[in-house]
Amino acid sequence: MSFENKVFLAGAKYGYFADPRYTNRVEVYDGTSNSWTSLSLSNKREVGGAGAAGDYVFFAGGTGRDDISGPVYIYRTVDIFNSVTGSRIVNQLSKARGTISVGAAGTQILFAGGWYWDITYTILETDRVDIYDVSTSTWSTATLSEKRQNMAVATVGDLVIFAGGLNSNIGLVKNVDIYNTTSKT
């Protein structure tokens, strides 16, 4: 995640495919001072989606586990870092998921779609959109026109556009959802 003069590299899955490990490290490169610092996510995980709004950098959802022998979890955790001070607060998405499409405009950042698994570990897509307003520190939700993951995201003025994607049950999705951050529609 690149923001102003800094690059934030957060979380990861590494090691053998059959026995992966996860990290909670956040490496921050400051282009102005040509220096590196380290921060930490609240969970060891492969991040589901990342974005920036206001002075904040967000790392949301994802999958991971705390130790090599434990189960793999899907998280609803959102680690929110102040890009100036490096301080972190932790919040929660309304639904745990991975492969989240993220877009920001004005004071709002949107975490749209993605996948989760049911009790039998079947992967299912969601139409959930979590919206965080950095000016009021409040959350709200909306829904996409179709459940899906892997959407393209673009921002034009106060519009955040989510296009295409994949739904495991129906295949590729052609829908385009446009969210207006000014009118909140």
Side-chain angles (χ1 to χ4, degrees):
M1 173 81 255
S2 177
F3 185 68
E4 293 183 2
N5 63 337
K6 295 181 180 177
V7 177
F8 291 75
L9 306 169
K13 177 170 75 170
Y14 63 96
Y16 300 103
F17 176 76
D19 200 13
R21 296 181 184 216
Y22 298 84
T23 181
N24 66 342
R25 291 187 58 109
V26 180
E27 301 295 341
V28 182
Y29 175 73
D30 187 324
T32 302
S33 64
N34 192 29
S35 63
W36 289 89
T37 55
S38 293
L39 303 170
S40 295
L41 295 171
S42 57
N43 307 100
K44 292 180 179 180
R45 68 188 195 271
E46 182 175 32
V47 172
D55 287 335
Y56 301 94
V57 177
F58 297 76
F59 298 101
T63 57
R65 63 181 174 196
D66 290 329
D67 62 58
I68 191 88
S69 61
V72 174
Y73 298 104
I74 188 161
Y75 291 102
R76 42 183 284 215
T77 305
V78 181
D79 290 289
I80 306 170
F81 290 93
N82 182 307
S83 66
V84 177
T85 66
S87 64
R88 179 192 74 200
I89 60 172
V90 179
N91 222 305
Q92 301 289 316
L93 296 170
S94 61
K95 182 172 202 55
R97 57 197 193 264
T99 316
I100 305 165
S101 297
V102 182
T107 62
Q108 296 177 31
I109 185 164
L110 289 76
F111 303 90
W115 64 269
Y116 64 99
W117 53 58
D118 64 11
I119 194 136
T120 64
Y121 290 99
T122 301
I123 291 178
L124 304 167
E125 284 78 22
T126 182
D127 59 2
R128 184 69 51 93
V129 180
D130 288 291
I131 305 161
Y132 184 76
D133 190 315
V134 296
S135 66
T136 60
S137 300
T138 58
W139 287 93
S140 59
T141 60
T143 55
L144 295 166
S145 59
E146 184 73 49
K147 294 178 179 182
R148 60 196 194 267
Q149 62 174 307
N150 292 324
M151 291 171 281
V153 182
T155 302
V156 179
D158 60 354
L159 304 177
V160 180
I161 302 161
F162 298 98
L166 173 70
N167 180 304
S168 300
N169 294 322
I170 62 173
L172 296 176
V173 176
K174 295 180 181 181
N175 298 30
V176 176
D177 290 280
I178 303 171
Y179 182 80
N180 185 313
T181 60
T182 302
S183 65
K184 299 183 180 180
T185 56

